[in-house]
Amino acid sequence: MLRRNRRITAVPPDRREGLVRLCALDPVEGVSLAHQLTRWERWGRGDVVVTGTLDAPTAGAWATGSLMVYGLAPRPGLGHAGADPQDVRALAEHARGRMVRRGAVSGPRRDVEAVWGPLSEAGLTAREVRWNQPLLLAPRTAEGLLAAQLRRRPHLGWVGAGTRAAVPAEDALVQPAAAAMFREEVGYDPACSGRAFARHISWLVGSGRGYVLLDDGQGGPAAPGGPAAVAFKADVGSLWRSPSGAVAQLTGVWTRPDLRGRGIGTVALAAVVDAVRADHVGPDGVVSLYANDFNAPALGLYRSLGFTRHGTFATILL
């Protein structure tokens, strides 16, 4: 298909710099795609494609079962004209043959809207469409987020002290919590798609990017050698040191259902944001996440911590 379709170009791993520069137009919106590009040292022909040229792409995508897009829509305030409509159709044609059942189309909303039109015209159908996923930024404070939360909830000091990066020996505890989060968020068991999800969670834990709070299974601190369960978890799903500074995007934020409404998730997330700054992006780095607009409890939690809106993501579940 790539040989017939001259409007898109496959990106070899040693020519990714142009697409990385495109993502740097808005590092918060571009972090997911930039993370993919910088994480992988090799990929198959056609897994990453651009419109325009390799050195000056007008848009780009990661197309491997799912489709992650960036740059298709104009961004006048950033001096970006977007991709030509024929180029968008060419990208959709390329991606259509690679999409799989239970895949997704994701990215900034305006880019997903641009490509979904030709994809749906080509017969692709959605299981669920999530057009309004607020993209939020954690605030920067001199003292950090945790200290302020513990002044309000001193009885949850054990939560702040216990929230930390998981270690590989805890992978067996983390995996069921991660799967439960996925089932709630996406609507099916990730094990249905093989071992890819479990491998990804193990990679996050092994990379120091999976954060957890363990409790005794009853909402109290876990004692050494006693029973332990995951009370809260969050991952650094994307991480990129962009030209303008480091950006982390949190994913998989989850509080065990029996503990919700007690402030535990709020304190634990504050601890995670502080830890991600200390461990990964530095005090001036950006910590972001996106959420579904219908998840009112989560959005309320983020507002209570002072998160502010940066933009809008969209996800189309296939």
Side-chain angles (χ1 to χ4, degrees), residues 2 44-48 63-66 93-100:
L2 284 175
R45 179 168 171 79
D47 291 348
V48 183
T64 55
S66 291
E93 178 190 346
H94 169 71
R96 176 67 182 88
R98 291 171 160 256
M99 306 298 282
V100 298

Side-chain angles (χ1 to χ4, degrees), residues 82-124:
D84 179 276
Q86 290 180 294
D87 290 345
V88 176
R89 288 189 173 277
L91 174 60
E93 178 190 346
H94 169 71
R96 176 67 182 88
R98 291 171 160 256
M99 306 298 282
V100 298
R101 182 171 176 264
R102 297 199 177 101
V105 183
S106 64
R109 174 174 174 166
R110 48 195 158 182
D111 298 324
V112 174
E113 286 176 331
V115 78
W116 181 245
L119 282 173
S120 59
E121 289 172 10
L124 201 63

Side-chain angles (χ1 to χ4, degrees), residues 73-228:
R75 288 160 169 82
L78 299 175
H80 178 63
D84 179 276
Q86 290 180 294
D87 290 345
V88 176
R89 288 189 173 277
L91 174 60
E93 178 190 346
H94 169 71
R96 176 67 182 88
R98 291 171 160 256
M99 306 298 282
V100 298
R101 182 171 176 264
R102 297 199 177 101
V105 183
S106 64
R109 174 174 174 166
R110 48 195 158 182
D111 298 324
V112 174
E113 286 176 331
V115 78
W116 181 245
L119 282 173
S120 59
E121 289 172 10
L124 201 63
T125 58
R127 178 168 58 89
E128 184 178 349
V129 177
R130 299 175 178 180
W131 283 121
N132 185 21
Q133 296 178 302
L135 175 61
L136 306 173
L137 302 182
R140 296 187 184 96
T141 64
E143 66 174 355
L145 294 187
L146 179 59
Q149 289 303 313
L150 291 182
R151 283 198 297 273
R152 297 175 55 197
R153 300 177 173 90
H155 63 290
L156 294 179
W158 69 274
V159 174
T163 302
R164 53 171 174 77
V167 298
E170 294 166 334
D171 189 65
L173 286 174
V174 176
Q175 290 286 350
M181 177 282 304
F182 189 94
R183 288 193 295 270
E184 287 185 36
E185 176 70 16
V186 182
Y188 67 89
D189 189 337
C192 294
S193 299
R195 289 280 303 163
F197 180 81
R199 286 195 299 268
H200 179 63
I201 297 302
S202 294
W203 177 79
L204 289 168
V205 170
S207 302
R209 290 167 48 175
Y211 289 83
V212 295
L213 168 69
L214 301 183
D215 77 335
D216 59 3
Q218 302 296 320

Side-chain angles (χ1 to χ4, degrees), residues 196-257:
F197 180 81
R199 286 195 299 268
H200 179 63
I201 297 302
S202 294
W203 177 79
L204 289 168
V205 170
S207 302
R209 290 167 48 175
Y211 289 83
V212 295
L213 168 69
L214 301 183
D215 77 335
D216 59 3
Q218 302 296 320
V230 173
F232 172 91
K233 68 168 291 295
D235 305 315
V236 182
S238 296
L239 181 64
W240 179 35
R241 284 165 179 80
S242 81
S244 58
V247 182
Q249 186 178 88
L250 302 183
T251 57
V253 179
W254 178 84
T255 303
R256 203 172 67 228

